[in-house]
Amino acid sequence: MNLKMEKALAFGEKNYNYYSAFLRNKYNGQKVYKVIVDAGFTCPNRDGSKGYGGCAYCNTDSFTPVSRNLDTFREQISYSMERAEKTYGAEKFIVYFQPNTNTYAPVEELKFLYDEALKINLEKIVGLSVGTRPDCIDEEKIALLESYKEQGLEVDLEMGMESIYDETLVEINRGCSHQEFVDAMNLLENSTLDVCIHTILGFPNETKEMMLKYVNELNRFSKINFVKFHHLHIVEGSIFGVKYKRNPFKLFSIEEYTDLLCEILPKLRPDIVIQRLFGLSDLDMLIAPNWNLKKSQIQNFIDAEIEKRGVIQGCEFR
């Protein structure tokens, strides 16, 4: 790795910028942990505004923690913080509004919920992470989130790009076009917010060549600070779950998925911090692909291959 790349990959010892090292660097070595909260939102493709049933791959029960079953979202946050302190030695926290679309409400309601979350522990909560869709943000909601940034908090807006192909977005019942993603990114161009983009690799009918073009779209928006890569997995209770049981379709093996990541990373802008390289559903809800590995084992497998092959994030970026 040359000196230029070493300076670009500032966060940690891996051959790519990864999120935990970014947080350690930002918070002077303290352990910062995201706590997930379900604030009771829905989505426009669930409530009939744009459709019903949600995205074809999605069942929010497959990735939300046990704290979701507590009576109030304040209890969810307090429980998760206490558990993270005991289990992981967490010292500071980012409240992560994850399930469904967490800007899908009037600004006054959003402000109340975000304020309530932050009040739970003003000393230990250092930021907000808000998951949403490109068609559910506007200037007023961006300004609200920016107001927390002005208070010195870490604030990132996480949006699902998922695919860059409209035919795929229709197939997965996304209820949102790629142009709406582009419009949202243009709206955020001069924002002070950090932007995290979520994308899914392995949709039916998308070839490797098609998926590699996702990188061009991530690279072209300078406002993208973070990215989450997920492989498509099929879960119980989703539209794809029903379709897959009737007529199974091709999904990645861990070797195939790692091969794709090893082609994507060299092309990815080196300053983008990677929050995730893969997704993992609760195993009791996972239909396929089951790689029969724990989360840490998957991470170690991918990291080992990246290292062995000499893959360096951004080394082919132009």
Side-chain angles (χ1 to χ4, degrees):
M1 192 184 303
N2 62 37
L3 181 60
K4 182 178 179 182
M5 291 307 300
E6 285 180 352
K7 289 181 178 179
L9 302 182
F11 307 116
E13 302 76 36
K14 298 184 181 183
N15 285 7
Y16 59 90
N17 277 326
Y18 62 106
Y19 190 52
S20 58
F22 166 82
L23 291 175
R24 284 198 305 272
N25 181 74
K26 184 176 178 67
Y27 292 100
N28 301 313
Q30 295 181 94
K31 290 187 177 180
V32 182
Y33 190 86
K34 276 189 176 182
V35 290
I36 297 172
V37 58
D38 182 350
F41 290 99
T42 184
C43 290
N45 64 342
R46 287 188 181 274
D47 69 0
S49 174
K50 285 195 166 183
Y52 296 96
C55 298
Y57 53 82
C58 183
N59 179 354
T60 56
D61 290 335
S62 69
F63 59 83
T64 49
V66 67
S67 61
R68 184 185 185 194
N69 297 319
L70 297 174
D71 289 338
T72 69
F73 90 124
R74 293 180 62 88
E75 289 177 308
Q76 292 179 47
I77 296 171
S78 296
Y79 170 87
S80 297
M81 287 176 62
E82 182 178 347
R83 182 173 179 270
E85 286 175 327
K86 291 179 179 177
T87 306
Y88 306 108
E91 299 168 272
K92 300 291 184 181
F93 299 91
I94 295 171
V95 178
Y96 181 18
F97 287 79
Q98 182 190 30
N100 293 304
T101 304
N102 295 273
T103 59
Y104 191 40
V107 168
E108 296 77 14
E109 182 180 336
L110 297 176
K111 185 176 188 307
F112 173 80
L113 290 170
Y114 302 156
D115 286 350
E116 286 297 302
L118 293 169
K119 286 177 188 175
I120 290 170
N121 193 318
L122 294 172
E123 181 182 344
K124 293 185 177 180
I125 294 175
V126 295
L128 293 171
S129 180
V130 179
T132 190
R133 293 162 50 96
D135 55 354
C136 290
I137 64 164
D138 54 39
E139 291 182 354
E140 193 176 12
K141 291 171 183 175
I142 292 170
L144 171 63
L145 290 169
E146 287 176 337
S147 71
Y148 296 107
K149 189 92 172 180
E150 291 164 5
Q151 297 172 34
L153 293 165
E154 179 83 15
V155 184
D156 73 74
L157 184 68
E158 181 180 318
M159 290 196 303
M161 179 178 78
E162 313 311 7
S163 172
I164 64 173
Y165 301 104
D166 281 337
E167 57 268 33
T168 297
L169 296 174
V170 170
E171 181 185 9
I172 65 174
N173 196 42
R174 183 69 175 149
C176 180
S177 69
H178 185 62
Q179 184 59 48
E180 286 173 288
F181 169 80
V182 173
D183 292 343
M185 290 306 306
N186 289 335
L187 196 62
L188 288 159
E189 184 176 3
N190 297 315
S191 174
T192 59
L193 296 177
D194 293 325
V195 177
C196 177
I197 298 305
H198 180 282
T199 190
I200 297 176
L201 300 165
F203 285 124
N205 304 320
E206 289 194 6
T207 64
K208 182 180 76 171
E209 289 69 27
M210 292 171 71
M211 287 181 267
L212 287 173
K213 291 180 180 178
Y214 286 23
V215 184
N216 298 333
E217 203 68 347
L218 295 171
N219 287 339
R220 81 179 176 109
F221 295 106
S222 61
K223 277 302 301 176
I224 295 178
N225 310 93
F226 308 114
V227 66
K228 288 183 177 180
F229 292 112
H230 279 210
H231 65 288
L232 178 64
H233 51 257
I234 311 300
V235 296
E236 297 284 359
S238 67
I239 297 170
F240 269 172
V242 175
K243 289 184 176 181
Y244 186 85
K245 286 180 179 180
R246 290 175 179 169
N247 187 23
F249 45 85
K250 172 66 178 171
L251 297 168
F252 284 120
S253 68
I254 189 171
E255 293 83 6
E256 291 168 332
Y257 184 63
T258 302
D259 287 343
L260 180 61
L261 289 176
C262 286
E263 291 195 52
I264 284 174
L265 288 176
K267 298 174 174 60
L268 183 68
R269 218 173 62 223
D271 61 287
I272 294 176
V273 177
I274 298 171
Q275 291 198 11
R276 287 184 190 169
L277 282 174
F278 63 94
L280 191 64
S281 163
D282 290 344
L283 289 179
D284 60 347
M285 299 194 72
L286 179 65
I287 298 172
N290 188 349
W291 294 338
N292 293 310
L293 295 171
K294 296 178 181 178
K295 182 178 180 181
S296 60
Q297 293 173 314
I298 297 172
Q299 186 71 59
N300 290 339
F301 179 91
I302 294 172
D303 282 346
E305 285 298 309
I306 288 171
E307 181 72 22
K308 183 172 71 176
R309 302 182 196 190
V311 171
I312 299 172
Q313 179 182 340
C315 66
E316 297 176 11
F317 172 69
R318 297 291 182 269

